[in-house]
Every structure is written in C-alpha cells, then in structure tokens.
Amino acid sequence: MNLTDDEKAMLDGHDGAAKRKAMELLVRYSEALGAERFVDTNNVAGVPGSSTLFLKNYYKDHNGGNYEAIFSLFDLDSDEVVPVPKVSAYSCHLQGGMDPNEWATMGQTKEAFEHFQEDEAQVADHGIQIMKTCTPYLAGNVPVKGEHCAWMESSAVVFCNSVIGGRTNTEGRESTSAAMLTGKIPDWGFHRDEFRHGTHAIEVEVPIETVQDWGMLGYFVGGAVEENIPVISGVTYQPNLVRHKHFGAAAASSGGVELYHMVGITPEAPSREIAFGPRNPVETIKYGAAERRKIYDNLNSIGTSTDVDFVMLGCPHYSIEQIWEAARLLDGKKLSPNTKLWIFTSRSVKSMADTNGYTKAIRDAGGLLLTDTCSAISQAIPKGTKVVALDSAKQTHYLPAFMGIEAWFGTTKECVDAAVTGHWRGELR
Ligand code: F3S
C-alpha cells in the first residue's frame, strides 16, 4: 500500500497503541480489498464498544468486559487490551438495543439496561456522538456530495450514496471503530468514480407515488439487481426524503443495493448516459402493474389471520413528518384493547415530537413513541404477539422471520387502522 507520512506514523505506533492496532486492521482490510491507499474521512457512523451483555460477558475476564477491553479485543481485533483514546474523526453511534425509558416494556432486564447506560457513558466520553439511530441524516449528520464517509447500516449507506451523493461502502463495526481513531478508510468501492456507474436499467411503467409504492419498488429492485447498481427511469413523481428512505431500505434488504440512480432525480444521474458512464446496462428490467401486484402479494404472503395484535412503525426510523402523520391519523381515536402500537425514531426527532405534542397524542391514543432501536434489531415485540402490521418493506422482510410471527404490509393509514380496530383491512390500491 501507498501510505502517507501520518499513516506510517500511526502504523509505527507514534500515536499510541490503539491507533497502531487500528492502522494494522485497516491495512489488512485494504489488502483484502485490493485498495492501494486510504482516503481521509471525517464522518464515521458505527456501533463501537460493548453495548450488549453478551459481549460484556464474553470478555469478562478482560477488565470485566469493559468498553476498553471490547474496543481493543473485538472492534480492533487486537490480542491485548490497549488504552483507547478519544476519537480523531467526527463519529456517531448508530442504533442500539433498547429504548432508554421503555426498556422494561421492551422486555429488557435491569442488568441489561444498567450495562446499556454504562456503555453509553463510555461512548460519549470517547467523543462519539450518541445519535442512536439508523437515520443519522435525520438527526443532524448530513454529509455533502462527494464527502468520504465510513458508515454502517445498509439503509443509511444507500441513502448517503444515492440521495446525497456522499461516498461510503457498507462498513462493519471493526472498520468503523478503526476509522474513528485514525480518520482513514480504504480508497475502494464507492469512494471511487469508476465503481459508481449504473449496471442495470429499471424501466418503471406504473405511477409510483405513495410511500408504500416506493417501498414496493425498492423491494422489487433489490430482488432484481441484488448487489448491483440500478438506474431507474420512468419515474414521473418526485420522491421526497421519506420515499427515498423507504425505497433504499427495501432495496438494501431484498438485495444488497448500496447505490442507486434515478434519472433526473438523484445527484449523479442528471441523464441516463451520465448514470451509466462508460458501462452498458447488463440487463433492462421492467416494473409494471403485474410486477407491482406480485411484490405486494409476496410481502403479504406471511399473513393469514386478520386479527392484528401489534403494529410497528418507524423502519427506517420515522421522520418528524411521519410522526406528525401518525399522530393525525390517531387523533380522537383509541387503540383496540387487543393491539399495541410502537413507533420508532431517534432521540433528537422524538424531542421535536415531544415539543410539538405528537408524543402525547400517540400516548393518549394508547401507542408509544420509542427511540434508539426497533423490533427487528432488539428482537422485541409485545408479549404474545402472533400477527404484526407494518408499513415498511424492510421490516416485513426481517421481523416475521426473526420472531416467527405473521405479518401484513400496507400503508401507514392501514396500519393505524389495524391498531385502532384490531383487524387488518389493507388492500392494494
Ligand atoms: Fe432501522 Fe431497525 Fe429498520 S434499525 S432500518 S428501524 S430494521
């Protein structure tokens, strides 16, 4: 690899043992990828430290499994515990495992919650922002076009690359923790122009308007192109942030889409020719009425009972606009006694919801606005849940499989209706 003087100094241990371990890890990672150099990054989003009781107990023979031990042995893949300094790059902590106030409702133990608090204090002490969300771009971390980032979380990565034009691969816990200390990440993949051109053409032949429409299109595109780069044409409706959020999250879960282009919409696709660059599309795939119907039926293939006992909204974490919409849909209503409603968002967006009275409106109806996590990540659902209703294709992909429950996929309005009536009455419109 071609290393700069500051990179050599870190690798030689001039900046301490932790940075040396971090550089060693990043060099091994670069060599495996075939990267010849690093890029500087000052925007890292990961999940450093201990966070779960499992890791704490696993490393309990090393400093009691504290933050430093887990950061050294697990994050940095070191064979010894080293002193961990504050981070050098601007860094934030993505989603965690429980809501800090409703942990008992989510079925967590006091021991797990106390560990969660200790870990969070350590993360903050090391200079890492506690965002606790899969949507950092809704909580104040908004990169600019061309900015080199090192992000985890597939839904955030695809948003950063596609909607903003930022540059990140889907990093892991180890590479993000190492990047937090060093401000370096391999110059490979989506950091480089030649990796960012489209591979597959998607021709949309039906109107795509609602959030549900965008989620279904994303789910179709991910399944069709897998880990490639789709270029979507034929969209006649300008998607807003929420629609991009649901489209990208769905495409990243049914496939492994990390970057998409929409002709005339996303920043690197002012035209079809520019989106594809020197490449010719390897395949042209159409999305018409039959494909739309098939995706809807696929997402609803695991629902049989129409008695809904749980409604989960907020995957990816809800924006303030979506919370406002949910609060309006619940206005003057009460949840069915047989149904629970959990809506997930970040702490910062919840504070806006608190200020605007939306949290209270949701509570008054019998629902909860929760933060930090989601049902899939924390594997937490209300006790006895057999049937869930969801407005997210991504959550529909994961939650029933993780928890062994049935699921319905529909619009936010249909989900709120299910929470109020206790019954699923959704259909494709
Ligand atoms: Fe976020 Fe959970 Fe969905 S972490 S993207 S709400 S699976």
Side-chain angles (χ1 to χ4, degrees):
M1 281 192 77
N2 301 310
L3 297 180
T4 59
D5 289 345
D6 67 320
E7 291 160 0
K8 280 186 199 146
M10 282 191 270
L11 196 57
D12 290 343
H14 291 292
D15 297 328
K19 289 194 184 187
R20 176 167 58 83
K21 296 287 181 190
M23 280 306 288
E24 285 172 0
L25 183 144
L26 288 169
V27 167
R28 290 204 306 276
Y29 177 36
S30 300
E31 286 171 353
L33 294 170
E36 292 175 1
R37 63 187 73 78
F38 291 113
V39 284
D40 291 332
T41 178
N42 191 39
N43 191 331
V44 186
V47 290
S50 41
S51 69
T52 66
L53 269 180
F54 171 80
L55 278 181
K56 183 181 171 66
N57 292 333
Y58 188 79
Y59 289 108
K60 66 178 183 309
D61 295 339
H62 303 272
N63 298 357
N66 68 5
Y67 177 88
E68 199 161 75
I70 291 166
F71 198 99
S72 303
L73 302 173
F74 189 74
D75 293 29
L76 298 182
D77 193 31
S78 164
D79 47 12
E80 58 180 325
V81 178
V82 293
V84 178
K86 286 185 190 292
V87 294
S88 298
Y90 166 62
S91 303
C92 70
H93 192 298
L94 295 165
Q95 67 266 22
M98 69 186 81
D99 179 287
N101 299 308
E102 296 285 349
W103 51 271
T105 310
M106 296 190 73
Q108 298 286 351
T109 63
K110 191 152 190 293
E111 186 192 12
F113 173 61
E114 284 170 355
H115 174 61
F116 165 96
Q117 283 184 306
E118 275 167 33
D119 178 68
E120 189 165 292
Q122 284 295 311
V123 171
D125 265 4
H126 284 80
I128 300 154
Q129 290 196 349
I130 306 295
M131 283 199 177
K132 294 286 175 91
T133 180
C134 50
T135 56
Y137 52 87
L138 291 177
N141 183 351
V142 188
V144 294
K145 185 167 183 271
E147 182 173 347
H148 293 288
C149 304
W151 282 18
M152 290 175 68
E153 171 46 45
S154 64
S155 69
V157 164
V158 70
F159 191 94
C160 175
N161 277 321
S162 315
V163 184
I164 297 172
R167 295 186 169 217
T168 180
N169 296 305
T170 306
E171 297 296 344
R173 176 192 177 112
E174 297 81 358
S175 57
T176 50
S177 289
M180 287 177 185
L181 293 186
T182 59
K184 307 285 177 181
I185 202 75
D187 183 15
W188 180 86
F190 294 113
H191 294 285
R192 301 185 65 83
D193 290 345
E194 64 268 30
F195 281 80
R196 297 181 67 91
H197 295 124
T199 58
H200 289 62
I202 308 288
E203 305 285 353
V204 175
E205 297 178 350
V206 282
I208 307 294
E209 293 181 6
T210 64
V211 173
Q212 183 192 32
D213 278 335
W214 284 96
M216 290 195 295
L217 177 61
Y219 202 70
F220 170 81
V221 167
V225 309
E226 298 181 347
E227 292 179 346
N228 291 294
I229 303 173
V231 177
I232 297 126
S233 314
V235 168
T236 53
Y237 180 96
Q238 171 76 43
N240 64 1
L241 184 150
V242 171
R243 286 161 175 77
H244 275 293
K245 178 165 74 80
H246 280 252
F247 172 89
S253 47
S254 60
V257 174
E258 296 165 277
L259 166 64
Y260 62 83
H261 300 298
M262 280 182 199
V263 177
I265 292 174
T266 54
E268 293 173 43
S271 69
R272 194 174 187 276
E273 291 66 37
I274 292 174
F276 279 108
R279 288 178 175 162
N280 287 320
V282 294
E283 196 180 349
T284 299
I285 301 159
K286 100 172 172 129
Y287 183 75
E291 287 77 15
R292 181 171 179 265
R293 174 87 239 174
K294 200 168 162 196
I295 283 293
Y296 181 82
D297 290 344
N298 179 5
L299 285 164
N300 279 292
S301 62
I302 29 175
T304 55
S305 168
T306 53
D307 293 337
V308 173
D309 33 34
F310 177 40
V311 176
M312 197 222 101
L313 305 175
C315 172
H317 280 174
Y318 255 13
S319 68
I320 192 69
E321 179 194 346
Q322 291 176 292
I323 297 170
W324 169 64
E325 186 193 355
R328 279 200 310 175
L329 289 167
L330 286 164
D331 188 31
K333 302 195 175 94
K334 289 277 179 211
L335 296 198
S336 157
N338 304 322
T339 312
K340 298 272 189 286
L341 169 66
W342 292 356
I343 303 175
F344 290 93
T345 191
S346 64
R347 293 184 199 182
S348 61
V349 172
K350 180 172 179 288
S351 77
M352 275 192 279
D354 295 348
T355 303
N356 285 287
Y358 308 150
T359 311
K360 181 174 181 307
I362 292 164
R363 268 195 181 265
D364 287 350
L368 286 176
L369 184 60
L370 303 173
T371 65
D372 287 39
T373 187
C374 74
S375 285
I377 283 288
S378 57
Q379 305 211 352
I381 54 178
K383 213 168 171 201
T385 296
K386 292 193 182 70
V387 182
V388 65
L390 304 160
D391 70 350
S392 159
K394 173 172 178 174
Q395 193 75 196
T396 308
H397 184 81
Y398 289 116
L399 190 63
F402 286 177
M403 306 307 291
I405 56 176
E406 293 184 15
W408 295 106
F409 165 75
T411 65
T412 306
K413 196 173 173 191
E414 288 168 346
C415 289
V416 171
D417 176 73
V420 170
T421 64
H423 299 291
W424 183 251
R425 304 191 290 191
E427 58 185 55
L428 183 62
R429 285 167 224 278

